[in-house]
Amino acid sequence: MEFTLGYYEKRIIQEFVVDNIGITLERFGEKSFDKVFPVDLSNLNLLNQQELEVELVEVLKFIQPNSLKSYSKRPIWFKTNIVDQAVNDYVGIGLLNIDGPWLRYVICSLSHDRADQSGDTLMTIFDTDFQWAINFELSQDNSCLIVQKFEK
């Protein structure tokens, strides 16, 4: 990796966070994928993982190691809880292990560490060159998971 995670965190906050509420990925350009999935907030699994994988085949193939330009540049995850739909609570940043069950990791992270006061929880996966981003948003108010992909 060319830069530290601190560099990426600072850049994400500077370029994609407006008014400290959520992440504005439209700055990437075109939204090439957008799908909403109903979830059961009373179930820690939220939804059926196998069915989700079928519905997200385009996104899953996009992130597979053989489709990335450089495997040494693993994508970055950036997690934010939006408390009471009013303010960001930055949870963390890290490298996404695309060799493992990364989708399960994303869903478990969204489920087990939800925003307070029925806020939204975001787990956004960024290309280290900022050419694309995939956003997973758990909306507790609407009981749904929104998955969006943006590309330059």
Side-chain angles (χ1 to χ4, degrees), residues 90-129:
Y90 300 105
V91 177
I93 187 170
L95 295 172
L96 186 67
N97 181 4
I98 54 177
D99 285 330
W102 66 265
L103 182 59
R104 184 177 316 144
Y105 170 73
V106 169
I107 301 304
C108 285
S109 182
L110 292 172
S111 177
H112 292 276
D113 185 20
R114 299 180 191 174
D116 291 335
Q117 302 176 21
S118 295
D120 293 346
T121 302
L122 311 176
M123 175 83 79
T124 309
I125 301 169
F126 289 93
D127 170 46
T128 56
D129 294 326

Side-chain angles (χ1 to χ4, degrees), residues 1 8 23 34 39 49 72 74 90 92 98 111 117 125 134:
M1 179 165 60
Y8 290 109
I23 294 179
D34 189 2
V39 297
Q49 292 274 328
S72 64
R74 294 189 305 173
Y90 300 105
I98 54 177
S111 177
Q117 302 176 21
I125 301 169
I134 299 170

Side-chain angles (χ1 to χ4, degrees), residues 11-115:
R11 185 164 174 195
I12 290 166
I13 291 170
Q14 287 177 339
E15 293 184 27
F16 303 105
V17 176
V18 178
D19 296 330
N20 200 34
I21 302 173
I23 294 179
T24 305
L25 297 172
E26 287 78 5
R27 293 180 175 200
F28 269 103
E30 188 168 330
K31 185 186 317 178
S32 58
F33 185 91
D34 189 2
K35 199 152 197 167
V36 178
F37 302 92
V39 297
D40 178 3
L41 294 173
S42 65
N43 183 344
L44 282 179
N45 293 324
L46 296 177
L47 49 99
N48 184 302
Q49 292 274 328
Q50 291 156 334
E51 290 176 13
L52 182 65
E53 288 175 11
V54 169
E55 293 291 327
L56 294 180
V57 70
E58 174 185 333
V59 172
L60 295 174
K61 284 183 180 179
F62 188 78
I63 296 184
Q64 295 309 315
N66 58 355
S67 65
L68 296 174
K69 292 178 185 171
S70 170
Y71 181 68
S72 64
K73 291 185 167 186
R74 294 189 305 173
I76 293 170
W77 60 263
F78 185 82
K79 187 168 180 213
T80 309
N81 287 340
I82 306 172
V83 179
D84 196 27
Q85 307 299 338
V87 65
N88 284 351
D89 177 21
Y90 300 105
V91 177
I93 187 170
L95 295 172
L96 186 67
N97 181 4
I98 54 177
D99 285 330
W102 66 265
L103 182 59
R104 184 177 316 144
Y105 170 73
V106 169
I107 301 304
C108 285
S109 182
L110 292 172
S111 177
H112 292 276
D113 185 20
R114 299 180 191 174

